[in-house]
Amino acid sequence: MASPATPMAWTRAGSRRPDFDDPRVRGVETADPAVAHSIISRIYRLRDLTPEAGPDFSFGRVVSGDDRFAMGQIHYRGRLHAVSEPLPEFFCISRVLGGRYGLADGRADLRAQTGDRFVFPSDRVKEHRWDDMHLGQVMLDRAAVERELAGLSLATPPEGLQTLAMEPVSEALGEHWGSTTRHVLDGVLSNDAAMASPLVRSAAFRSLVTAFVEAYDTNVVGTGRSSDARALPSTVRRALAFVEEHAHDDIGIVEIAEAARLTPRGLQLAFRRHLDTTPMAALRAARLRGAHADLMLGDPTLGHTVAGIALSWGFANPGRFAALYSTQFGRAPRETLES
């Protein structure tokens, strides 16, 4: 990752970039396996490479961003088995755009196909299996992420921030991460004026960090998520996924209970027992997170207001919203909007 670069046009799943060798974008395209393996060995600290490259082999990588976050794509035509050393300097969150990707770290064995999302365990040795692999990737600088979390009153243990699982906590939160990255891609990385603005880049980074720690299970303290989220009963997990997916909609305890396949009373008891909270408190927290993301990406010069954003997330009383927001995020919503 480097200082602000010229934005790149990032193609959607299943397509190929037409401009891998565009000189404005940091990237490479080659049909030489030796060159490709030298590059990926250096970038991803791969070793023990066992390739099965055919006559139609190709490799390409392109990336754009700043010193805190970057987005890009990588494709590898052929098969490869390799082992990689830990990469503690940054987090790499990926989505399979084509082919298949196998990843094992001694704790879990992932077999990802087109459309699947996952995060690389940065603190462990990993085994990789590529099969005509094509990934979209988001890279987040670890030190910058930890500083941002501290500013959000979220604490990390002394050993630093670590991911606890490779796949998203839920499909809904995975989709939220995807929508956040698309917003940053289309509204910031693909916009010369936005990339030239330090304030816009900072807001984009904050939104990525927030979505990242919500979508993926980490050891960060303060997200309100159980450290053993996967041990929650399926009814509670269905309710939480429904809340995250429909937080912007007009829903209440009846709709949440129906999604969880429980009675409203049963849902309340389940939330008290397993989360020590209520369904409506979980919904309010999800809406606060949504409002927080909109405030970070809002622009007062374009007419965005705290009251308007609050109302769009179901908070009709501006004073009540400001109090809830300040308690959750440690500063007034206006400060977030104007930062």
Side-chain angles (χ1 to χ4, degrees), residues 89-165:
E89 297 87 356
F90 63 92
F91 297 100
C92 182
I93 306 97
S94 299
R95 187 181 190 194
V96 181
L97 303 180
R100 292 177 292 180
Y101 200 112
L103 182 62
D105 66 350
R107 299 183 185 178
D109 193 349
L110 178 75
R111 293 290 182 267
Q113 302 184 46
T114 301
D116 291 343
R117 294 184 175 92
F118 63 94
V119 60
F120 287 95
S122 59
D123 60 325
R124 296 188 290 280
V125 172
K126 301 170 288 293
E127 181 182 7
H128 306 258
R129 292 186 182 276
W130 299 356
D131 188 353
D132 289 340
M133 176 273 297
H134 183 189
L135 296 182
Q137 296 186 315
V138 179
M139 284 71 73
L140 301 175
D141 180 78
R142 174 187 292 274
V145 169
E146 292 180 342
R147 288 194 300 270
E148 188 62 36
L149 291 175
L152 294 172
S153 300
L154 299 174
T156 56
E159 66 270 21
L161 182 65
Q162 295 178 5
T163 55
L164 304 179

Side-chain angles (χ1 to χ4, degrees), residues 88-333:
E89 297 87 356
F90 63 92
F91 297 100
C92 182
I93 306 97
S94 299
R95 187 181 190 194
V96 181
L97 303 180
R100 292 177 292 180
Y101 200 112
L103 182 62
D105 66 350
R107 299 183 185 178
D109 193 349
L110 178 75
R111 293 290 182 267
Q113 302 184 46
T114 301
D116 291 343
R117 294 184 175 92
F118 63 94
V119 60
F120 287 95
S122 59
D123 60 325
R124 296 188 290 280
V125 172
K126 301 170 288 293
E127 181 182 7
H128 306 258
R129 292 186 182 276
W130 299 356
D131 188 353
D132 289 340
M133 176 273 297
H134 183 189
L135 296 182
Q137 296 186 315
V138 179
M139 284 71 73
L140 301 175
D141 180 78
R142 174 187 292 274
V145 169
E146 292 180 342
R147 288 194 300 270
E148 188 62 36
L149 291 175
L152 294 172
S153 300
L154 299 174
T156 56
E159 66 270 21
L161 182 65
Q162 295 178 5
T163 55
L164 304 179
M166 290 187 275
E167 296 175 282
V169 170
S170 69
E171 183 177 352
L173 285 172
E175 287 299 326
H176 175 64
W177 164 256
S179 66
T180 301
T181 60
R182 287 192 295 273
H183 182 93
V184 172
L185 173 66
D186 296 336
V188 181
L189 279 178
S190 300
N191 184 314
D192 289 328
M195 278 299 285
S197 168
L199 290 178
V200 172
R201 294 200 310 274
S202 293
F205 178 67
R206 284 195 296 271
S207 69
L208 288 172
V209 171
T210 302
F212 170 54
V213 297
E214 288 292 344
Y216 291 90
D217 202 7
T218 70
N219 61 352
V220 67
V221 178
T223 60
R225 183 189 303 138
S226 167
S227 60
D228 191 15
R230 294 182 182 273
L232 291 173
S234 59
T235 51
V236 175
R237 285 189 277 113
R238 282 196 296 268
L240 290 173
F242 180 80
V243 164
E244 292 295 338
E245 185 174 359
H246 296 278
H248 214 288
D249 299 332
D250 183 15
I251 62 171
I253 190 153
V254 172
E255 291 77 13
I256 301 171
E258 288 177 351
R261 302 169 200 168
L262 290 171
T263 65
R265 177 62 175 164
L267 180 69
Q268 290 174 327
L269 291 174
F271 266 60
R272 277 298 181 195
R273 178 179 179 182
H274 296 284
L275 299 174
D276 193 27
T277 188
T278 67
M280 296 311 293
L283 176 59
R284 183 172 61 245
R287 287 173 169 168
L288 280 171
R289 291 193 294 271
H292 176 64
D294 284 355
L295 286 167
M296 288 194 297
L297 295 173
D299 185 348
T301 65
L302 298 179
H304 300 152
T305 65
V306 171
I309 291 172
L311 187 60
S312 74
W313 284 96
F315 297 98
N317 186 318
R320 175 64 174 159
F321 170 73
L324 291 169
Y325 185 92
S326 298
T327 299
Q328 179 78 10
F329 298 104
R331 62 174 175 171

Side-chain angles (χ1 to χ4, degrees), residues 49-73:
L49 276 69
T50 306
E52 297 179 28
D56 58 347
F57 172 83
S58 66
F59 168 79
R61 181 176 184 266
V62 63
V63 63
S64 181
D66 72 2
D67 59 350
R68 292 166 297 179
F69 72 95
M71 292 185 180
Q73 288 192 26

